[in-house]
Amino acid sequence: MARRPPVLSLALPSETGRVLSIQSHTVHGYVGNKSAVFPLQLLGYDVDPINSVQFSNHTVYPTFKGQVLNGDQLWDLIEGLAANDLLYYTHLLTGYIGSASFLSTVLKVVNRLRSINPNLVYVCDPVMGDEGKLYVPQDLVSPFREKVVPVASMLTPNQFDVELLTGMRITSEKDGLEACNILHAAGPTKVVITSMVIDDKLHLIGSHQKEKGQAPEQFKIVVPKIPAYFTGTGDLMTALLLGWSNKYPDDLGRAAELAISSLQAVLRRTVADYKKAGFDPQTSSLEIRLVQSQEDIRNPPIEYKSEKFN
């Protein structure tokens, strides 16, 4: 019987890692895995995507068609990987999760992956809503807070997500730092609040607790608001944070500088290209120009610097 060839991403592992990314997928456009997989590959990662939904396009369009993966179907894919000894991952990445049953299976996946690699880094974007509007059923908030937060290695919530996870109203940098401390106490060593609006400016707040019980290293990055609405930016930002924080494991501030500088370059190019095509970018949600921004993803010039709080 012929010997089965090795899985090269396992036999000759990269210096970066092997990521299992469980997120949504659109045939057209860039959200979920379409926003996350390509940038991570550009940064040198092997990425295996599982598509939690497969839609024709994102849901801001007038119509969309497609299928939703349920928890049993997700577990079936995990069992298929396991049967072929393919379940060794260095990272798990999750984004939007639309049902309690799917979330429950994701938690089973975390446990299964950690039984194979106890050092698995779980990067979770706890997508629940934005600007005061809930995107997920109300009954998902509690499981996120009580079950997902404790097993995550890094969380990348937005301002509204943080308020749901902590029960706090976030209106200042001080509130953001306190919320990070609450989340550290619950589990994750790294927390990045990816967008907080304070005085009409966008603030990113980062916090890294290197040892339990130790005061975390905390910082902020202030970026200008681009007057347009984009889809897929949160998914891209979380992927970039995974990519750069793994390259700079002890310097979350540096990783966040690289990630936000990449993201801003992508968004500026997107706005410029829509204007070039004769479209006013403030009138509709925009598909990001990911493929056209490869160099900004691989080698972003750092334009936004982190400011330490302590």
Side-chain angles (χ1 to χ4, degrees), residues 173-174 177 203-206 216-221 307-310:
E173 289 175 358
K174 184 171 175 287
L177 296 174
H203 287 57
L204 176 151
I205 302 276
E217 293 177 4
Q218 298 182 310
F219 61 89
K220 70 176 178 181
I221 302 176
E307 301 171 51
K308 288 187 178 177
F309 283 107
N310 45 11

PDB file of all heavy atoms in Angstrom, residues 173-174 177 203-206 216-221 307-310:
ATOM      1  N   GLU A 173     -11.925  56.842  27.702  1.00  0.00           N
ATOM      2  CA  GLU A 173     -10.765  55.939  27.712  1.00  0.00           C
ATOM      3  C   GLU A 173     -10.711  55.174  29.032  1.00  0.00           C
ATOM      4  O   GLU A 173     -10.419  53.975  29.056  1.00  0.00           O
ATOM      5  CB  GLU A 173      -9.478  56.741  27.526  1.00  0.00           C
ATOM      6  CG  GLU A 173      -9.302  57.306  26.134  1.00  0.00           C
ATOM      7  CD  GLU A 173      -8.074  58.195  26.023  1.00  0.00           C
ATOM      8  OE1 GLU A 173      -7.380  58.405  27.055  1.00  0.00           O
ATOM      9  OE2 GLU A 173      -7.789  58.667  24.906  1.00  0.00           O
ATOM     10  N   LYS A 174     -10.997  55.866  30.126  1.00  0.00           N
ATOM     11  CA  LYS A 174     -10.965  55.232  31.450  1.00  0.00           C
ATOM     12  C   LYS A 174     -11.941  54.052  31.511  1.00  0.00           C
ATOM     13  O   LYS A 174     -11.606  52.979  32.021  1.00  0.00           O
ATOM     14  CB  LYS A 174     -11.311  56.274  32.523  1.00  0.00           C
ATOM     15  CG  LYS A 174     -11.225  55.772  33.954  1.00  0.00           C
ATOM     16  CD  LYS A 174     -11.366  56.934  34.926  1.00  0.00           C
ATOM     17  CE  LYS A 174     -11.409  56.452  36.361  1.00  0.00           C
ATOM     18  NZ  LYS A 174     -12.680  55.792  36.720  1.00  0.00           N
ATOM     19  N   LEU A 177     -10.434  51.097  29.554  1.00  0.00           N
ATOM     20  CA  LEU A 177      -9.376  50.396  30.295  1.00  0.00           C
ATOM     21  C   LEU A 177      -9.965  49.521  31.393  1.00  0.00           C
ATOM     22  O   LEU A 177      -9.515  48.390  31.607  1.00  0.00           O
ATOM     23  CB  LEU A 177      -8.405  51.416  30.892  1.00  0.00           C
ATOM     24  CG  LEU A 177      -7.623  52.261  29.879  1.00  0.00           C
ATOM     25  CD1 LEU A 177      -6.803  53.336  30.590  1.00  0.00           C
ATOM     26  CD2 LEU A 177      -6.706  51.387  29.032  1.00  0.00           C
ATOM     27  N   HIS A 203     -10.906  55.655  18.608  1.00  0.00           N
ATOM     28  CA  HIS A 203      -9.859  55.200  19.514  1.00  0.00           C
ATOM     29  C   HIS A 203      -9.807  53.673  19.493  1.00  0.00           C
ATOM     30  O   HIS A 203     -10.843  53.013  19.551  1.00  0.00           O
ATOM     31  CB  HIS A 203     -10.137  55.642  20.962  1.00  0.00           C
ATOM     32  CG  HIS A 203      -9.919  57.090  21.213  1.00  0.00           C
ATOM     33  ND1 HIS A 203     -10.568  58.070  20.508  1.00  0.00           N
ATOM     34  CD2 HIS A 203      -9.108  57.722  22.103  1.00  0.00           C
ATOM     35  CE1 HIS A 203     -10.183  59.256  20.952  1.00  0.00           C
ATOM     36  NE2 HIS A 203      -9.300  59.073  21.912  1.00  0.00           N
ATOM     37  N   LEU A 204      -8.614  53.127  19.393  1.00  0.00           N
ATOM     38  CA  LEU A 204      -8.374  51.712  19.646  1.00  0.00           C
ATOM     39  C   LEU A 204      -7.728  51.631  21.026  1.00  0.00           C
ATOM     40  O   LEU A 204      -6.794  52.383  21.318  1.00  0.00           O
ATOM     41  CB  LEU A 204      -7.450  51.132  18.574  1.00  0.00           C
ATOM     42  CG  LEU A 204      -6.998  49.668  18.721  1.00  0.00           C
ATOM     43  CD1 LEU A 204      -6.746  49.052  17.348  1.00  0.00           C
ATOM     44  CD2 LEU A 204      -5.719  49.531  19.562  1.00  0.00           C
ATOM     45  N   ILE A 205      -8.256  50.757  21.876  1.00  0.00           N
ATOM     46  CA  ILE A 205      -7.676  50.543  23.212  1.00  0.00           C
ATOM     47  C   ILE A 205      -7.155  49.118  23.283  1.00  0.00           C
ATOM     48  O   ILE A 205      -7.891  48.165  23.004  1.00  0.00           O
ATOM     49  CB  ILE A 205      -8.730  50.744  24.332  1.00  0.00           C
ATOM     50  CG1 ILE A 205      -9.330  52.150  24.263  1.00  0.00           C
ATOM     51  CG2 ILE A 205      -8.131  50.449  25.705  1.00  0.00           C
ATOM     52  CD1 ILE A 205      -8.562  53.237  24.935  1.00  0.00           C
ATOM     53  N   GLY A 206      -5.880  48.960  23.622  1.00  0.00           N
ATOM     54  CA  GLY A 206      -5.281  47.630  23.727  1.00  0.00           C
ATOM     55  C   GLY A 206      -4.790  47.354  25.129  1.00  0.00           C
ATOM     56  O   GLY A 206      -4.376  48.271  25.850  1.00  0.00           O
ATOM     57  N   PRO A 216      -1.944  44.942  33.617  1.00  0.00           N
ATOM     58  CA  PRO A 216      -1.709  44.811  32.175  1.00  0.00           C
ATOM     59  C   PRO A 216      -0.988  46.026  31.595  1.00  0.00           C
ATOM     60  O   PRO A 216      -1.048  47.125  32.162  1.00  0.00           O
ATOM     61  CB  PRO A 216      -3.123  44.700  31.596  1.00  0.00           C
ATOM     62  CG  PRO A 216      -4.003  45.384  32.583  1.00  0.00           C
ATOM     63  CD  PRO A 216      -3.367  45.189  33.930  1.00  0.00           C
ATOM     64  N   GLU A 217      -0.295  45.804  30.476  1.00  0.00           N
ATOM     65  CA  GLU A 217       0.253  46.918  29.704  1.00  0.00           C
ATOM     66  C   GLU A 217      -0.869  47.426  28.806  1.00  0.00           C
ATOM     67  O   GLU A 217      -1.435  46.657  28.032  1.00  0.00           O
ATOM     68  CB  GLU A 217       1.441  46.442  28.862  1.00  0.00           C
ATOM     69  CG  GLU A 217       2.634  46.021  29.698  1.00  0.00           C
ATOM     70  CD  GLU A 217       3.783  45.475  28.844  1.00  0.00           C
ATOM     71  OE1 GLU A 217       3.672  45.496  27.591  1.00  0.00           O
ATOM     72  OE2 GLU A 217       4.776  45.031  29.434  1.00  0.00           O
ATOM     73  N   GLN A 218      -1.172  48.709  28.904  1.00  0.00           N
ATOM     74  CA  GLN A 218      -2.328  49.247  28.188  1.00  0.00           C
ATOM     75  C   GLN A 218      -1.937  50.453  27.336  1.00  0.00           C
ATOM     76  O   GLN A 218      -1.038  51.221  27.694  1.00  0.00           O
ATOM     77  CB  GLN A 218      -3.432  49.618  29.182  1.00  0.00           C
ATOM     78  CG  GLN A 218      -3.926  48.391  29.950  1.00  0.00           C
ATOM     79  CD  GLN A 218      -5.059  48.673  30.911  1.00  0.00           C
ATOM     80  OE1 GLN A 218      -4.981  49.592  31.720  1.00  0.00           O
ATOM     81  NE2 GLN A 218      -6.119  47.884  30.833  1.00  0.00           N
ATOM     82  N   PHE A 219      -2.598  50.611  26.211  1.00  0.00           N
ATOM     83  CA  PHE A 219      -2.247  51.685  25.278  1.00  0.00           C
ATOM     84  C   PHE A 219      -3.477  52.085  24.466  1.00  0.00           C
ATOM     85  O   PHE A 219      -4.506  51.398  24.471  1.00  0.00           O
ATOM     86  CB  PHE A 219      -1.137  51.221  24.319  1.00  0.00           C
ATOM     87  CG  PHE A 219      -1.510  50.036  23.469  1.00  0.00           C
ATOM     88  CD1 PHE A 219      -2.117  50.206  22.227  1.00  0.00           C
ATOM     89  CD2 PHE A 219      -1.288  48.730  23.913  1.00  0.00           C
ATOM     90  CE1 PHE A 219      -2.486  49.119  21.448  1.00  0.00           C
ATOM     91  CE2 PHE A 219      -1.651  47.632  23.134  1.00  0.00           C
ATOM     92  CZ  PHE A 219      -2.251  47.835  21.900  1.00  0.00           C
ATOM     93  N   LYS A 220      -3.327  53.198  23.766  1.00  0.00           N
ATOM     94  CA  LYS A 220      -4.376  53.623  22.836  1.00  0.00           C
ATOM     95  C   LYS A 220      -3.734  54.028  21.515  1.00  0.00           C
ATOM     96  O   LYS A 220      -2.549  54.377  21.454  1.00  0.00           O
ATOM     97  CB  LYS A 220      -5.172  54.801  23.399  1.00  0.00           C
ATOM     98  CG  LYS A 220      -4.382  56.102  23.466  1.00  0.00           C
ATOM     99  CD  LYS A 220      -5.248  57.252  23.940  1.00  0.00           C
ATOM    100  CE  LYS A 220      -4.424  58.547  24.037  1.00  0.00           C
ATOM    101  NZ  LYS A 220      -5.226  59.683  24.509  1.00  0.00           N
ATOM    102  N   ILE A 221      -4.518  53.951  20.455  1.00  0.00           N
ATOM    103  CA  ILE A 221      -4.137  54.494  19.145  1.00  0.00           C
ATOM    104  C   ILE A 221      -5.329  55.310  18.656  1.00  0.00           C
ATOM    105  O   ILE A 221      -6.459  54.799  18.631  1.00  0.00           O
ATOM    106  CB  ILE A 221      -3.802  53.387  18.122  1.00  0.00           C
ATOM    107  CG1 ILE A 221      -2.654  52.498  18.630  1.00  0.00           C
ATOM    108  CG2 ILE A 221      -3.417  54.011  16.775  1.00  0.00           C
ATOM    109  CD1 ILE A 221      -2.325  51.325  17.706  1.00  0.00           C
ATOM    110  N   GLU A 307       0.100  54.956  22.195  1.00  0.00           N
ATOM    111  CA  GLU A 307       0.490  55.754  23.363  1.00  0.00           C
ATOM    112  C   GLU A 307       0.188  54.931  24.606  1.00  0.00           C
ATOM    113  O   GLU A 307      -0.960  54.544  24.833  1.00  0.00           O
ATOM    114  CB  GLU A 307      -0.308  57.061  23.416  1.00  0.00           C
ATOM    115  CG  GLU A 307      -0.143  57.961  22.196  1.00  0.00           C
ATOM    116  CD  GLU A 307      -1.133  59.110  22.239  1.00  0.00           C
ATOM    117  OE1 GLU A 307      -1.216  59.805  23.273  1.00  0.00           O
ATOM    118  OE2 GLU A 307      -1.865  59.285  21.234  1.00  0.00           O
ATOM    119  N   LYS A 308       1.222  54.679  25.395  1.00  0.00           N
ATOM    120  CA  LYS A 308       1.049  53.834  26.583  1.00  0.00           C
ATOM    121  C   LYS A 308       0.364  54.613  27.713  1.00  0.00           C
ATOM    122  O   LYS A 308       0.592  55.787  27.902  1.00  0.00           O
ATOM    123  CB  LYS A 308       2.402  53.309  27.050  1.00  0.00           C
ATOM    124  CG  LYS A 308       2.976  52.256  26.120  1.00  0.00           C
ATOM    125  CD  LYS A 308       4.234  51.603  26.678  1.00  0.00           C
ATOM    126  CE  LYS A 308       4.726  50.521  25.724  1.00  0.00           C
ATOM    127  NZ  LYS A 308       5.964  49.908  26.165  1.00  0.00           N
ATOM    128  N   PHE A 309      -0.454  53.871  28.472  1.00  0.00           N
ATOM    129  CA  PHE A 309      -1.125  54.472  29.635  1.00  0.00           C
ATOM    130  C   PHE A 309      -0.286  54.295  30.897  1.00  0.00           C
ATOM    131  O   PHE A 309      -0.452  55.030  31.856  1.00  0.00           O
ATOM    132  CB  PHE A 309      -2.484  53.838  29.841  1.00  0.00           C
ATOM    133  CG  PHE A 309      -3.530  54.327  28.877  1.00  0.00           C
ATOM    134  CD1 PHE A 309      -3.983  53.505  27.853  1.00  0.00           C
ATOM    135  CD2 PHE A 309      -4.044  55.607  28.969  1.00  0.00           C
ATOM    136  CE1 PHE A 309      -4.946  53.951  26.956  1.00  0.00           C
ATOM    137  CE2 PHE A 309      -5.017  56.070  28.090  1.00  0.00           C
ATOM    138  CZ  PHE A 309      -5.463  55.233  27.076  1.00  0.00           C
ATOM    139  N   ASN A 310       0.558  53.249  30.932  1.00  0.00           N
ATOM    140  CA  ASN A 310       1.294  53.017  32.179  1.00  0.00           C
ATOM    141  C   ASN A 310       2.716  52.577  31.894  1.00  0.00           C
ATOM    142  O   ASN A 310       3.032  52.080  30.842  1.00  0.00           O
ATOM    143  CB  ASN A 310       0.592  51.950  33.042  1.00  0.00           C
ATOM    144  CG  ASN A 310       0.143  50.724  32.245  1.00  0.00           C
ATOM    145  OD1 ASN A 310       0.506  50.544  31.082  1.00  0.00           O
ATOM    146  ND2 ASN A 310      -0.657  49.887  32.872  1.00  0.00           N
TER     147      ASN A 310
END
